[in-house]
Structures are given as C-alpha cells and as structure tokens.
Amino acid sequence: MLAACALCALPLAGCTGGAPSSPGAAEASAATAPAPTVTTELQEAYQRVVTDVLPSVVQITAGDRLGSGVVYDEEGHIVTNAHVVGDAKRFEVAMATGGDALPARLVASYPEQDLAVIRLTDLPDRLRPAVFGDSAEVEVGQIVMAMGNPLGLSSSVTQGIVSAVGRSVSEGEGRAALGNMVQTSADINPGNSGGALVNLSGQVIGIPTLAARDPELGGGQAPGIGFAIPASTVTSLAEQMIEHGRVIDSGRAELGVTVRTVLGDGFEPAGAAVVEVTEDGPAERAGLRPGDVITALGQEPVTDVVSLSEALASLRPGRETEIRYERDGTEHTSRVTLGEA
C-alpha cells in the first residue's frame, strides 16, 4: 500500500496544481517539493515503534544469566522466558528509561512453554506496559522488529519479517518442545530471550525465545531463523500464573508415556521406545505398552524423543489422532485421544 501511494503522489500533484508551463518549471517544482518515498515512510514507522515500545522492554539479571523481559501490566508484572529465570527467585531489572536496577521476585515459571512471570517489588514512577497483539492476525511477510538486550547490549533493535507461523520446535534433548511458534528472520541472539517481537503497529506479537542451530555448522546459530512464543500463548499463560501462581490450563497435548530414543540397523534414530505408560492414560487406552516403539503420530514421523515432543506440540488436548508403533517387529496402528499435560 505504501508503494502504491508513493507512485500516485507525483501524478496527483500534477492534477491538482495544473500542467506545468515548461519542462524547466516541472524540474524546479520537483526539486523544491519532492514526493515522500517509501523508504522515508518506513523509516519513520520504525522510529515510531521504537519510541513507543522500547520503554516496555527491560533487562533481567538472574545470577550469572542475562536476558530480556516485557512489562506486562501496571502492577509491575514482567513476562520473560523460563530459561532466563532458571532456578532463581530474585532478580535485578534494568529499565530502558535508565536509573538504578530494580529488585523483582519470581511469580511463576512454566518451563514446558519456556515462559515465566516476575514482578517488580519496587515500582518506578513511570511504568509503560506493552500492548499485546492478536496472534490470529500475524501473517507471513509482515515486517517485525526484535527488541531486547543481546550479549548485554541494552535496548538493541533488529528487524526482519515473519517467515512462518505455527512452527513446532524443540529446545533440545530433554527440554520442552514449543508449539505454534512464530518464525522470524529478525536476529535473535543470546540475551534477546524474553524480549519483544513487535509489528509496525507497535504491538508485541511474540516473545523471542531461541534461534535455530545448524548441525552442519557444528551446532552454531543458523542466521535468519529465530522463533518467538506467540502473543496469545503469552497472555493466556501469564494471566494464569498471575492469578493462580501456576498454569492450570496448559493447552499442551500429552500421551501419558515415558520414552527413550532407539536406534535402527544403521545406528540412526528409529523411533521413541515406550518405557512406561500412565495408568488409564491416553497411550494405555490406545493399547500401547512398555517395549512398543512409536514411529508416527498423526501425519508426523517419529524418529526420536524430540520429534515425538514436537509432534505433540503441534496438536491440542482432546484431539483424536492415529498413532503408529512397532511391537515385536510388527507394525501396528491405533487411534488415540490426546490428554493434557
């Protein structure tokens, strides 16, 4: 839309101002009153968003860890990542507006979705809560900005686009798989975790959480591929933690099994072997038992513990889906109604 307006500006000026009397007059008019450019308008939009939102982004120190957070409400609640707070209960919070660091305490942490809420114990005179957007309106191609404190560089801003929505990603073996994530090309570096992913309307549409790792780079960060917890998930879980001190409705699906990765003939991951099943849980009701090897859930192949966790993160509790597994070398399929974690 901006491009269309910029292209229309010159002919509209000609229509309203009358035809120039000579080519020279036209050149003089263009020189004294240049049409606004898309670049100028975009730059002004960036600067306006930074001015509006950056005061809501804070730096959190938790022991030897450093991360970011977003002011959630006027009562001093701040949302951040669970991996930023770790096991700490007390924190120091530096506001983007300056001044001494403020003390804060833990309200609740929910590692399963890598989200936590802390609260300032001493409220500053000016506190600007962020405005959280509607996740349903986030679309691929939208311009976004990531705000946080990467590598301790306070109040840093990067820009990119929404690259995809609805991603399920894992934070690694033994850690949570996060569902319905927003993928972005905006740089997310260590210290950005817990900050703000913001659209050009100044709304927080996600909490930056992790960057993709490339095994071919020795596990190094893959440039231009980062992930953020969507705003709808943030607000739902944060409200529960503030009101109840914990999450009572996770929205996360579960099978009711303990599993381990098994290897195939070529020593490659070949499935998730069931170690234990929860009594009267979804897996037991579907007929699974210890020793079975899960190879697919719904449309997603399962090769290891992480891929099973990612498949579950993409589904909702109460949904019935197909589960494929091997028992004594024979493949079986069953229908399973997923429980809630």
Side-chain angles (χ1 to χ4, degrees):
M1 184 63 69
L2 290 176
C5 292
L7 290 172
C8 292
L10 189 54
L12 285 174
C15 292
T16 56
S21 58
S22 68
E27 292 174 2
S29 175
T32 57
T37 66
V38 173
T39 301
T40 300
E41 292 177 357
L42 189 58
Q43 178 173 296
E44 290 175 350
Y46 281 170
Q47 293 172 331
R48 182 171 60 251
V49 171
V50 170
T51 300
D52 289 345
V53 182
L54 201 56
S56 304
V57 180
V58 303
Q59 180 172 291
I60 299 172
T61 302
D64 58 355
R65 288 185 302 279
L66 188 68
S68 304
V70 180
V71 178
Y72 187 73
D73 58 26
E74 294 180 346
E75 284 70 49
H77 291 105
I78 294 169
V79 292
T80 184
N81 285 137
H83 77 259
V84 169
V85 303
D87 296 327
K89 305 296 182 184
R90 301 286 177 177
F91 314 92
E92 290 188 347
V93 176
M95 311 299 292
T97 50
D100 294 336
L102 301 173
R105 62 173 179 82
L106 179 68
V107 174
S109 180
Y110 187 61
E112 290 83 352
Q113 193 60 46
D114 202 1
L115 200 69
V117 176
I118 67 175
R119 186 177 185 180
L120 296 171
T121 54
D122 295 329
L123 295 183
D125 294 333
R126 294 178 298 166
L127 194 62
R128 185 183 296 183
V131 175
F132 285 80
D134 183 354
S135 294
E137 296 181 359
V138 176
E139 296 181 349
V140 175
Q142 284 183 325
I143 295 174
V144 290
M145 306 171 74
M147 301 183 186
N149 306 281
L151 305 176
L153 301 172
S154 60
S155 301
S156 293
V157 180
T158 58
Q159 64 85 30
I161 64 169
V162 173
S163 305
V165 295
R167 294 292 199 205
S168 294
V169 296
S170 174
E171 295 185 298
E173 185 81 30
R175 300 185 65 184
L178 310 178
N180 197 32
M181 299 285 278
V182 178
Q183 181 183 330
T184 179
S185 64
D187 288 335
I188 297 177
N189 295 300
N192 266 125
S193 294
L197 187 68
V198 187
N199 63 21
L200 290 190
S201 296
Q203 299 171 328
V204 177
I205 65 167
I207 300 296
T209 299
L210 72 158
R213 301 287 173 178
D214 188 347
E216 295 185 1
L217 297 177
Q221 184 170 319
I225 306 178
F227 300 95
I229 303 170
S232 59
T233 301
V234 174
T235 55
S236 172
L237 297 180
E239 290 291 341
Q240 294 178 57
M241 287 189 274
I242 291 170
E243 181 177 356
H244 304 286
R246 60 188 179 93
V247 172
I248 61 174
D249 180 12
S250 69
R252 292 175 60 86
E254 75 160 0
L255 274 173
V257 292
T258 301
V259 296
R260 62 180 178 84
T261 299
V262 294
L263 303 180
D265 293 338
F267 300 101
E268 296 293 328
V274 177
V275 177
E276 293 182 73
V277 294
T278 302
E279 184 177 355
D280 198 33
E284 185 179 76
R285 291 195 295 269
L288 273 73
R289 63 194 191 201
D292 293 342
V293 177
I294 300 170
T295 57
L297 184 65
Q299 300 299 315
E300 300 298 324
V302 172
T303 58
D304 54 20
V305 173
V306 171
S307 60
L308 176 60
S309 183
E310 290 176 348
L312 282 167
S314 68
L315 300 171
R316 298 287 296 175
R319 175 173 172 176
E320 185 183 82
T321 189
E322 183 178 88
I323 186 168
R324 190 162 64 247
Y325 60 96
E326 292 181 359
R327 177 181 295 166
D328 299 327
T330 303
E331 186 173 84
H332 299 266
T333 60
S334 181
R335 304 293 295 181
V336 59
T337 301
L338 300 172
E340 184 171 13

